[in-house]
Coordinates of all heavy atoms in Angstrom, one line a residue:
T36 N 11.1 -2.8 3.3 CA 11.0 -1.3 3.5 C 9.8 -0.8 3.6 O 9.4 0.3 3.9 CB 11.8 -0.7 2.3 OG1 11.3 -1.0 1.1 CG2 13.2 -1.2 2.3
D37 N 8.7 -1.6 3.0 CA 7.4 -1.0 2.6 C 6.3 -2.0 3.1 O 6.5 -3.2 3.0 CB 7.2 -0.8 1.2 CG 8.0 0.3 0.6 OD1 9.2 0.6 1.0 OD2 7.6 1.0 -0.4
A38 N 5.1 -1.5 3.6 CA 3.9 -2.2 3.7 C 2.9 -1.5 2.8 O 2.7 -0.2 3.1 CB 3.5 -2.3 5.2
W39 N 2.1 -2.2 2.0 CA 1.0 -1.6 1.1 C -0.2 -2.3 1.4 O -0.3 -3.5 1.7 CB 1.6 -1.7 -0.3 CG 2.7 -1.0 -0.7 CD1 4.1 -1.2 -0.4 CD2 2.6 0.2 -1.4 NE1 4.9 -0.1 -1.0 CE2 3.9 0.8 -1.7 CE3 1.7 1.1 -2.1 CZ2 4.3 2.0 -2.3 CZ3 2.0 2.2 -2.8 CH2 3.3 2.6 -2.9
T40 N -1.3 -1.6 1.2 CA -2.6 -2.3 1.2 C -3.3 -2.2 -0.1 O -2.9 -1.4 -1.0 CB -3.5 -1.4 2.2 OG1 -3.5 0.0 1.9 CG2 -3.0 -1.6 3.7
A41 N -4.4 -2.8 -0.2 CA -5.3 -2.8 -1.4 C -6.7 -2.5 -0.9 O -7.0 -2.4 0.3 CB -5.3 -4.1 -2.1
E42 N -7.5 -2.1 -1.7 CA -9.0 -1.8 -1.3 C -9.9 -2.4 -2.4 O -10.1 -1.8 -3.4 CB -9.1 -0.4 -1.1 CG -10.5 0.0 -0.4 CD -10.5 1.5 -0.1 OE1 -10.0 1.7 1.1 OE2 -10.9 2.3 -0.7
T43 N -10.5 -3.6 -2.0 CA -11.5 -4.1 -2.9 C -12.8 -4.4 -2.1 O -13.7 -3.6 -2.1 CB -11.0 -5.4 -3.6 OG1 -10.5 -6.4 -2.6 CG2 -9.8 -5.1 -4.6
A44 N -12.8 -5.5 -1.4 CA -14.0 -5.9 -0.6 C -13.6 -6.5 0.7 O -14.4 -7.0 1.4 CB -14.9 -6.8 -1.2
G45 N -12.2 -6.3 1.1 CA -11.7 -6.7 2.4 C -11.6 -5.6 3.3 O -12.6 -4.7 3.5
T46 N -10.4 -5.3 3.9 CA -10.2 -4.1 4.7 C -10.1 -2.9 3.8 O -9.8 -3.0 2.7 CB -8.9 -4.2 5.4 OG1 -7.7 -4.2 4.5 CG2 -8.7 -5.4 6.4
D47 N -10.4 -1.6 4.4 CA -10.2 -0.5 3.6 C -8.6 -0.3 3.6 O -7.9 -1.0 4.1 CB -10.8 0.7 4.2 CG -10.2 1.1 5.6 OD1 -10.4 0.5 6.6 OD2 -9.3 2.0 5.6
A48 N -8.3 0.6 2.8 CA -6.8 0.8 2.5 C -6.1 1.5 3.6 O -4.9 1.3 3.8 CB -6.6 1.6 1.2
F49 N -6.8 2.3 4.5 CA -6.1 3.2 5.4 C -5.9 2.5 6.8 O -4.9 2.8 7.4 CB -6.8 4.5 5.6 CG -6.8 5.4 4.3 CD1 -7.8 5.5 3.4 CD2 -5.6 6.1 4.0 CE1 -7.9 6.1 2.3 CE2 -5.7 7.0 2.9 CZ -6.7 6.9 2.0
T50 N -6.9 1.7 7.3 CA -6.9 1.3 8.7 C -5.7 0.4 9.0 O -5.0 0.5 9.9 CB -8.2 0.6 9.0 OG1 -9.2 1.5 8.8 CG2 -8.2 0.2 10.5
P51 N -5.4 -0.5 8.1 CA -4.2 -1.4 8.4 C -2.9 -0.5 8.4 O -2.0 -0.9 9.2 CB -4.1 -2.4 7.2 CG -5.5 -2.4 6.8 CD -6.1 -1.0 6.9
L52 N -2.8 0.4 7.7 CA -1.6 1.4 7.6 C -1.5 2.2 9.0 O -0.5 2.6 9.3 CB -1.6 2.1 6.4 CG -1.5 1.4 5.0 CD1 -1.4 2.3 3.9 CD2 -0.4 0.3 5.1
V53 N -2.7 2.6 9.4 CA -2.7 3.3 10.8 C -2.1 2.5 11.7 O -1.1 2.9 12.6 CB -4.1 3.7 11.1 CG1 -4.2 4.2 12.6 CG2 -4.7 4.8 10.2
L54 N -2.4 1.1 11.8 CA -1.8 0.3 12.8 C -0.4 0.1 12.5 O 0.5 0.1 13.4 CB -2.4 -1.1 12.7 CG -3.9 -1.1 13.3 CD1 -4.6 -2.5 12.9 CD2 -4.0 -0.9 14.7
A55 N 0.0 -0.2 11.3 CA 1.4 -0.4 10.9 C 2.3 0.8 11.3 O 3.4 0.7 11.5 CB 1.5 -0.7 9.4
S56 N 1.8 2.1 11.1 CA 2.5 3.2 11.4 C 3.0 3.4 12.8 O 4.0 3.9 13.2 CB 1.5 4.5 11.1 OG 0.6 4.7 12.1
Q57 N 2.2 2.6 13.7 CA 2.7 2.7 15.2 C 3.4 1.4 15.5 O 4.2 1.4 16.4 CB 1.4 2.7 16.0 CG 0.4 3.8 15.7 CD 1.2 5.1 15.8 OE1 1.6 5.6 16.9 NE2 1.2 5.9 14.6
W58 N 3.2 0.3 14.7 CA 4.0 -1.0 15.0 C 5.3 -0.9 14.6 O 6.2 -1.5 15.1 CB 3.2 -2.1 14.4 CG 1.8 -2.4 15.1 CD1 1.4 -2.0 16.3 CD2 0.8 -3.2 14.5 NE1 0.1 -2.5 16.6 CE2 -0.2 -3.2 15.5 CE3 0.5 -3.9 13.4 CZ2 -1.4 -3.9 15.3 CZ3 -0.6 -4.5 13.1 CH2 -1.7 -4.5 14.1
A59 N 5.6 -0.2 13.3 CA 6.9 -0.3 12.7 C 7.2 1.1 12.0 O 6.9 1.4 10.9 CB 6.9 -1.4 11.6
P60 N 7.5 2.1 13.0 CA 7.6 3.4 12.4 C 8.8 3.5 11.3 O 8.9 4.6 10.7 CB 8.1 4.2 13.7 CG 7.6 3.3 14.8 CD 7.8 1.9 14.4
Q61 N 9.6 2.5 11.1 CA 10.7 2.6 10.1 C 10.1 2.3 8.6 O 10.6 2.8 7.7 CB 11.7 1.6 10.2 CG 12.3 1.6 11.7 CD 11.6 0.6 12.7 OE1 10.5 0.4 12.6 NE2 12.5 -0.3 13.2
L62 N 8.9 1.7 8.5 CA 8.4 1.3 7.3 C 7.8 2.5 6.5 O 7.1 3.4 7.1 CB 7.3 0.2 7.4 CG 7.7 -1.1 7.8 CD1 6.4 -2.0 8.1 CD2 8.5 -1.8 6.8
R63 N 8.0 2.5 5.2 CA 7.2 3.3 4.3 C 5.8 2.6 4.1 O 5.8 1.4 3.9 CB 7.8 3.6 2.9 CG 7.1 4.7 2.1 CD 7.8 4.9 0.9 NE 8.0 3.9 -0.1 CZ 7.9 4.0 -1.4 NH1 8.1 5.3 -1.9 NH2 7.9 2.9 -2.3
L64 N 4.8 3.5 4.1 CA 3.4 2.9 4.0 C 2.6 3.4 2.6 O 2.8 4.6 2.3 CB 2.6 3.2 5.2 CG 3.3 2.9 6.5 CD1 2.4 3.5 7.7 CD2 3.5 1.4 6.7
G65 N 1.9 2.4 2.1 CA 1.3 2.9 0.8 C 0.0 2.2 0.5 O -0.2 1.2 1.0
T66 N -0.8 3.0 -0.2 CA -2.1 2.4 -0.6 C -2.0 2.0 -2.1 O -1.6 2.8 -2.9 CB -3.3 3.4 -0.4 OG1 -3.0 4.6 -1.2 CG2 -3.4 3.7 1.1
A67 N -2.4 0.9 -2.5 CA -2.3 0.4 -3.8 C -3.6 -0.5 -4.2 O -3.4 -1.7 -4.2 CB -1.0 -0.3 -4.0
I68 N -4.8 0.2 -4.5 CA -4.8 1.6 -4.6 C -6.2 1.9 -3.9 O -7.0 1.1 -3.6 CB -4.8 2.3 -6.1 CG1 -5.7 1.4 -7.0 CG2 -3.4 2.0 -6.6 CD1 -7.2 1.8 -7.1
V69 N -6.3 3.3 -3.7 CA -7.6 3.8 -3.3 C -8.3 4.3 -4.6 O -7.8 5.1 -5.4 CB -7.4 4.9 -2.4 CG1 -8.7 5.5 -2.0 CG2 -6.8 4.5 -1.1
P70 N -9.5 3.9 -4.9 CA -10.3 4.3 -6.0 C -10.5 5.7 -5.9 O -11.0 6.3 -4.8 CB -11.5 3.5 -6.0 CG -11.3 2.3 -5.2 CD -10.3 2.7 -4.2
V71 N -10.5 6.5 -7.0 CA -10.9 7.9 -7.0 C -12.3 8.1 -7.0 O -12.7 9.4 -6.8 CB -10.2 8.6 -8.3 CG1 -8.8 8.5 -8.1 CG2 -10.7 8.0 -9.6
Y72 N -13.1 7.2 -7.1 CA -14.6 7.5 -7.2 C -15.3 7.1 -6.0 O -16.4 7.5 -5.7 CB -15.3 6.4 -8.3 CG -14.8 6.7 -9.6 CD1 -13.8 5.9 -10.3 CD2 -15.4 7.6 -10.5 CE1 -13.4 6.0 -11.7 CE2 -15.2 7.8 -11.9 CZ -14.1 7.0 -12.4 OH -13.7 7.3 -13.8
T73 N -14.8 6.3 -5.1 CA -15.6 5.8 -3.9 C -15.4 6.6 -2.7 O -16.2 6.4 -1.7 CB -15.0 4.4 -3.6 OG1 -13.6 4.4 -3.3 CG2 -15.4 3.4 -4.6
R74 N -14.6 7.7 -2.8 CA -14.6 8.7 -1.7 C -14.8 10.1 -2.4 O -14.1 10.3 -3.5 CB -13.3 8.8 -0.9 CG -13.2 7.5 0.0 CD -11.7 7.7 0.7 NE -11.5 6.5 1.6 CZ -11.2 5.2 1.3 NH1 -11.0 4.9 0.0 NH2 -11.0 4.3 2.2

Side-chain angles (χ1 to χ4, degrees):
T36 60
D37 291 36
W39 291 74
T40 51
E42 189 167 276
T43 52
T46 62
D47 72 281
F49 293 100
T50 304
L52 298 183
V53 170
L54 293 170
S56 74
Q57 305 306 297
W58 293 342
Q61 309 97 310
L62 290 175
R63 187 176 70 155
L64 310 172
T66 61
I68 51 89
V69 175
V71 296
Y72 296 97
T73 54
R74 292 173 178 80

